[in-house]
Amino acid sequence: MKKLLLMFVFTFVVSTMVLAKPVSLEGWVSDDRCGAKVNAACSKKCLEQGATLVFVNSDKSVIEVTNPDAFKGLAGERVKVTGDLDKGVLTVSKVQVVQGK
């Protein structure tokens, strides 16, 4: 039984890694309440009330993030992110603030 469970877990982990698509995106950090209406002051208030940070891409689509702590302190900022996009959910591996745009 343990072997079967271990094989199942291993297969799940490997298939999840294969399905994730590496991406590099440019957009803004917002929160899940303000969404595409990127506003640092509004996001700060919403975050204090329990909202979660999200990524808004250049076409104003809101993308959920598995590790929103990667955006801590960046609400309202224009950023370039690198990570994996799986089923419309982004896992951020690197984030850079975009200057001068």
Side-chain angles (χ1 to χ4, degrees):
M1 185 68 173
K2 284 184 180 181
K3 272 188 171 182
L4 182 61
L5 180 61
L6 185 60
M7 286 177 48
F8 175 76
V9 170
F10 177 76
T11 303
F12 176 76
V13 170
V14 170
S15 65
T16 302
M17 290 171 40
V18 171
L19 293 176
K21 179 181 171 188
V23 293
S24 181
L25 302 168
E26 196 168 308
W28 298 266
V29 178
S30 187
D31 67 276
D32 59 350
R33 292 183 187 168
C34 296
K37 297 178 183 177
V38 180
N39 180 308
C42 179
S43 286
K44 183 177 178 183
K45 287 180 185 177
C46 291
L47 291 168
E48 288 172 357
Q49 297 171 0
T52 303
L53 290 169
V54 294
F55 180 75
V56 179
N57 68 11
S58 57
D59 70 359
K60 302 293 184 178
S61 296
V62 177
I63 300 173
E64 181 183 347
V65 179
T66 61
N67 55 338
D69 285 345
F71 290 144
K72 191 171 185 173
L74 297 176
E77 295 285 342
R78 186 170 177 89
V79 295
K80 182 175 182 178
V81 297
T82 305
D84 294 317
L85 190 61
D86 184 25
K87 298 178 184 173
V89 179
L90 179 65
T91 300
V92 177
S93 58
K94 182 180 177 184
V95 61
Q96 292 178 288
V97 174
V98 175
Q99 301 294 330
K101 285 192 178 182

